[in-house]
Amino acid sequence: MKTNSLFYHLLQNFPSVFFELIGHPQIETSGYEFQSVEIKDTNQRIDGIFIPAKRTRQPIYFVGVQSQFDEDFYYRFFTQIFLYLEQNKSNRDWFAVAVYPRRLIESVVPRPYQWLVESDHIKRLYLDELGLIANQSLGLGMLKLLVEDEAKAQQRAEYLIHQIQQLNPSKEQANLADLLTTILAYKFPLLGIQELTKMFELSNLKQSKLYQEAKTEGKLETVPLLLELGLSVERIAQELHLDLVQVKEAAKELAGQETTLE
């Protein structure tokens, strides 16, 4: 589930990565909004959907990330898609992408859906098979990092750090440094964030004027993800150099949103 959260967090902040992943990097992502959408009266939720602007004719993209074996995944995935289309009376074209860390995790496609999976409306992707394409952008490199073993993860992280350092000063550089640190914290759970920054020389990025001037609101946006990864509010406040009250308020707001969804 942590892989899922990190994947969706990456798409939320850098939607262009999704279109690179499916081989359509030329699509203008500003015309899309990435959301987790509740299906009314069903107690179901589509974890990832790229919703196009109303005045465009662009298709809808549904995203399903499956980090562990689940024989009911395709039943649930297609049910959610068609319920969404019915409830929203959508007349748009649509495409669905199922993402797996590796091919072995995928369940057998149920016979009623085989024709759909074999159509051009469905794409199945395996992160460990990205190959050289993972070197084409920071976003794809981040995705590949999610499934690398420890030795390769260190090599890829160092390569990504070098790429981040080559960016022109911008808020994106700080955001990417934050995201990379979060992924590394997941990959190396026995190491603290301070140890990770020292291990991979991320401190060079964090000590930059740009990073120091990053808005507190930007840091608070990472609180829900860090809570989901198992960090305490005290640990998050310490690592992000935030006031404990601010972190507790962010955690309380998250809990309120989950209660509303239930």
Side-chain angles (χ1 to χ4, degrees):
M1 294 305 294
K2 292 180 180 179
T3 300
N4 294 25
S5 299
L6 290 168
F7 184 90
Y8 289 123
H9 184 65
L10 180 58
L11 295 189
Q12 184 74 55
N13 288 274
F14 305 99
S16 60
V17 174
F18 171 75
F19 295 99
E20 289 183 83
L21 186 62
I22 64 174
H24 299 296
Q26 72 282 1
I27 291 180
E28 178 53 57
T29 58
S30 62
Y32 279 94
E33 182 179 359
F34 184 68
Q35 296 182 3
S36 175
V37 179
E38 183 178 8
I39 303 175
K40 299 177 182 178
D41 304 321
T42 64
N43 294 321
Q44 296 193 59
R45 171 172 290 276
I46 299 178
D47 291 327
I49 174 172
F50 282 94
I51 303 174
K54 292 183 178 180
R55 295 184 179 182
T56 68
R57 299 178 62 86
Q58 294 172 302
I60 301 170
Y61 290 91
F62 299 94
V63 187
V65 181
Q66 196 59 35
S67 59
Q68 56 190 1
F69 177 81
D70 182 355
E71 62 183 2
D72 293 330
F73 169 71
Y74 283 110
Y75 286 110
R76 184 174 62 256
F77 192 38
F78 288 121
T79 295
Q80 292 170 346
I81 288 172
F82 288 115
L83 281 173
Y84 175 88
L85 294 174
E86 187 274 332
Q87 288 188 1
N88 290 274
K89 299 296 184 290
S90 177
N91 195 35
R92 293 178 181 274
D93 201 355
W94 63 273
F95 297 93
V97 180
V99 182
Y100 298 90
R102 52 192 59 84
R103 193 179 293 269
L104 289 176
I105 291 176
E106 184 180 14
S107 62
V108 175
V109 179
R111 184 175 296 276
Y113 300 117
Q114 285 181 356
W115 67 274
L116 260 176
V117 173
E118 293 170 0
S119 74
D120 61 0
H121 279 266
I122 310 298
K123 185 182 287 287
R124 293 178 288 174
L125 298 170
Y126 312 94
L127 297 182
D128 66 333
E129 298 179 13
L130 285 179
L132 294 177
I133 191 177
N135 298 327
Q136 293 181 3
S137 75
L138 274 165
L140 293 177
M142 295 275 195
L143 288 180
K144 187 64 182 294
L145 179 61
L146 290 175
V147 295
E148 297 281 34
D149 58 33
E150 185 170 324
K152 291 183 179 179
Q154 293 188 36
Q155 296 176 0
R156 182 163 295 280
E158 291 168 359
Y159 177 69
L160 291 171
I161 291 168
H162 176 73
Q163 286 186 298
I164 293 173
Q165 290 174 326
Q166 302 309 307
L167 294 175
N168 293 324
S170 66
K171 182 180 179 181
E172 184 180 19
Q173 187 186 64
N175 289 341
L176 285 168
D178 276 339
L179 181 59
L180 181 56
T181 305
T182 301
I183 294 175
L184 292 175
Y186 161 63
K187 298 293 294 185
F188 301 94
L190 298 182
L191 295 179
I193 291 180
Q194 296 298 331
E195 293 172 287
L196 285 170
T197 58
K198 182 178 180 180
M199 178 180 177
F200 292 102
E201 298 182 354
L202 278 172
S203 56
N204 292 338
L205 297 175
K206 288 180 171 289
Q207 291 171 358
S208 68
K209 180 179 180 181
L210 168 68
Y211 187 87
Q212 295 300 327
E213 293 177 350
K215 294 181 179 180
T216 298
E217 288 78 5
K219 292 183 178 180
L220 290 174
E221 289 175 359
T222 68
V223 170
L225 179 63
L226 294 175
L227 287 170
E228 197 166 339
L229 290 174
L231 276 68
S232 67
V233 290
E234 291 80 7
R235 173 77 179 281
I236 293 172
Q238 178 183 357
E239 300 293 356
L240 295 182
H241 303 290
L242 292 172
D243 185 82
L244 181 59
V245 174
Q246 291 177 306
V247 178
K248 286 183 175 180
E249 287 297 322
K252 186 185 299 183
E253 182 179 344
L254 174 65
Q257 291 175 351
E258 292 177 344
T259 302
T260 301
L261 292 177
E262 292 174 357

